[in-house]
Amino acid sequence: MSQVKSIESSNDFVIKFANVNGSGSASANELFARAIMRMGVPVAPRNIFPSNIQGMPTWYEMRVSAAGWLGRRGGCDLMVAMNPQTWDRDIAEIEPGGYLFYDSTKSLPRSRFREDITVLGIPLTEMCNREYTDARQRQLFKNIMYVGALTALLGIDFGVVEKLIADQYRGKDKLIGANVNALKLGFDHAIANLPCPIGLRVERSNGVGDKIFINGNDACGLGAVYGGATVAAWYPITPSTSVIEAFGSYCRKYRTDPDNGMARYAIVQAEDELASIGMVIGAAWNGSRAFTATSGPGISLMQEFFGLAYFAEVPAVIFDVQRGGPSTGMPTRTQQSDLISCAYASHGDTKHVMLFPEDPYECFTLGAQAFDLADRLQTPVFVLLDLDIGMNDRLCQPFDWDDSRRYDRGKVMTAEMLDSGKNFGRYLDVDGDGIPWRTIPGTHPTKGAFFSRGTTRNAYAKYSEAGTDYTYNMERLRRKLETAKKLVPAPVLQPASQPTRFGAIHYGSTGPAMAEALSLLEARGIHVDALRVRGFPFADEVIEFVADHDEVFVVEQNESGQLRMLLLTEGEIDPKKLIRVLHYDGTPITARFISGRIADALSEHKVTPLRKQVAS
């Protein structure tokens, strides 16, 4: 049927599965992704699912990339169309010369297809009806059958998938046999009736190496354990719930007393988000390392407590797994939409520390580091990831940990220090960094006590509404935020291969697509320096980067350009220098989108991308 040359590519293409939510397809699609990784080829899968429980469209997009690109590319080379509801939009998404795989049990008129793609049909429903009588078995094994057919079509070693099924159902031989049988039915039918392999092929490679496959929420949960957290209080909300579930799982393994089986941790599901952050602040005030996990609506509800923790200077860690807003918005879609609400959470002159992990590895490392920063700075620290990082498994470097590392509890005055005559003023700045000394309840029977409040006080924690005392504390808090600039993770610079007048700033889950976009731009002769921001308040290098370039593209996944707003406010930058590149439809940003927007902007401005070199 194809009127154009079919795409031919080895270990470099995009497969997209169009399914119905609740059909059991997700596990089959993940099985297929893992099979490709077992072949040694890097894969970046993304599950795009609705917020209802069953019956609505869902997609599973799989980027196969020998080069190791883990961001979304854009477009689709092979569509596995299993949902009649979305047939037309799914067919439209296939690249010219691409492939359509579908259930051909029911014949469709020629008008339902495209002339520029290769159509691959297998009567899956008919085969399942013939093999199975149970309705649920028919649905589940239909998924395994199409995995078998795709295994043949892409030239994947059948034994690799068979071994994965055996690993998944180890100890359940009946399930192993039934699944392998369904896999073989699909595989054999494709071999007998379709051109195998097609132009898209998976060939054995060693591109995966020692990388691990994990999602960001699980990595945050483990990071909290390694960061010393012993208390978590939370209220369930998509897409952050699995952070606490992972923390609980790791705590049962690593924080249970081996002698008596007693838990050395506390996890409390509160009645709402407001109660959960109150519990976190109470536990942290009492000396525990405590945290919560939430999303945008929870951040909104917690605002007043954030102000209390900021002004009373109580450490706390908040994992914010961002989703689409406003209000309920798109609970199962991804965005970077909470920067402003977290940066200035609560009323009055508040400003908070934020960390922006790029992948599960940084979810682990920055998640652990957040607890040191919270203690060191005596303030809330927000770790902002999003649904794309949090809920999608991603290849990343193995986690590492220095066993000699010790927790940084910051300026905590001991009983010995108090007995030695140290001058203790809870809000007294003794060395100019804005951070006072604190004591933990029970430190000393008669010394070092203070009263924590959200109202104004003097340097010795005594109630005061004197303007001079209030001004003293606010200026000290400003100095503390200046100190934070030197403590948050440094930005990561990716310089262009040639000197350029143009830069790009990005953060978080935009990173993988941004890295590929820079490569696409360079192939077109467009050179852009890139800076990935990893923390707020912004390090001096961030503002200097803007100053060093004529124009800077700010790439982010929200409608209002929130990172750009922060840069304008905090860096006092000329707005004309910062060009918005905004993606906010709820799907992860793509390399094609970024490179296209930057190339179009430079073309419209009629600028020369390269800085001319002058001979000396």
Side-chain angles (χ1 to χ4, degrees), residues 46 63 69-73 336 358 492 494 502-522 527-533 545 552-557 581 588-595 598:
R46 285 174 170 84
R63 176 77 184 274
W69 299 122
L70 299 179
R72 287 185 73 218
R73 184 198 70 185
Q336 297 173 322
E358 179 188 45
V492 177
Q494 185 176 350
F502 303 102
I505 291 179
H506 62 102
Y507 62 102
S509 66
T510 302
M514 187 73 204
E516 185 178 6
L518 294 171
S519 177
L520 294 174
L521 288 166
E522 188 157 308
H527 301 275
V528 178
D529 295 328
L531 189 75
R532 179 166 67 89
V533 176
F545 179 86
V552 175
F553 298 94
V554 185
V555 186
E556 49 187 320
Q557 300 180 63
V581 178
I589 196 167
T590 69
R592 289 181 178 179
F593 177 88
I594 297 170
S595 59
I598 292 177

Side-chain angles (χ1 to χ4, degrees), residues 345-361:
S346 194
H347 52 279
D349 292 317
T350 56
K351 188 186 296 184
H352 298 290
V353 175
M354 301 188 295
L355 308 181
F356 308 123
E358 179 188 45
D359 61 7
Y361 176 80

Side-chain angles (χ1 to χ4, degrees), residues 316-440:
V317 172
I318 302 95
F319 290 98
D320 177 11
V321 189
Q322 300 166 92
R323 70 190 207 186
S327 187
T328 306
M330 296 189 291
T332 59
R333 297 291 190 265
T334 193
Q335 277 189 11
Q336 297 173 322
S337 53
D338 295 347
L339 268 74
I340 297 297
S341 60
C342 289
Y344 306 117
S346 194
H347 52 279
D349 292 317
T350 56
K351 188 186 296 184
H352 298 290
V353 175
M354 301 188 295
L355 308 181
F356 308 123
E358 179 188 45
D359 61 7
Y361 176 80
E362 287 195 342
C363 286
F364 170 74
T365 56
L366 300 190
Q369 184 181 357
F371 292 91
D372 277 352
L373 285 172
D375 271 352
R376 175 79 177 272
L377 294 165
Q378 299 174 30
T379 198
V381 173
F382 293 78
V383 182
L384 271 69
L385 56 157
D386 56 38
L387 184 146
D388 183 31
I389 304 175
M391 295 192 71
N392 288 313
D393 287 334
R394 188 82 56 83
L395 283 170
C396 67
Q397 68 185 90
F399 301 163
D400 50 27
W401 188 262
D402 182 357
D403 287 333
S404 66
R405 175 174 169 178
R406 295 294 177 262
Y407 298 141
D408 183 354
R409 298 308 303 261
K411 294 178 178 178
V412 179
M413 198 165 282
T414 64
E416 292 75 18
M417 294 169 70
L418 292 167
D419 279 334
S420 71
K422 289 282 186 182
N423 180 23
F424 176 66
R426 175 62 186 96
Y427 300 108
L428 184 65
D429 186 2
V430 296
D431 52 15
D433 65 358
I435 306 170
W437 285 84
R438 64 177 173 133
T439 58
I440 292 173

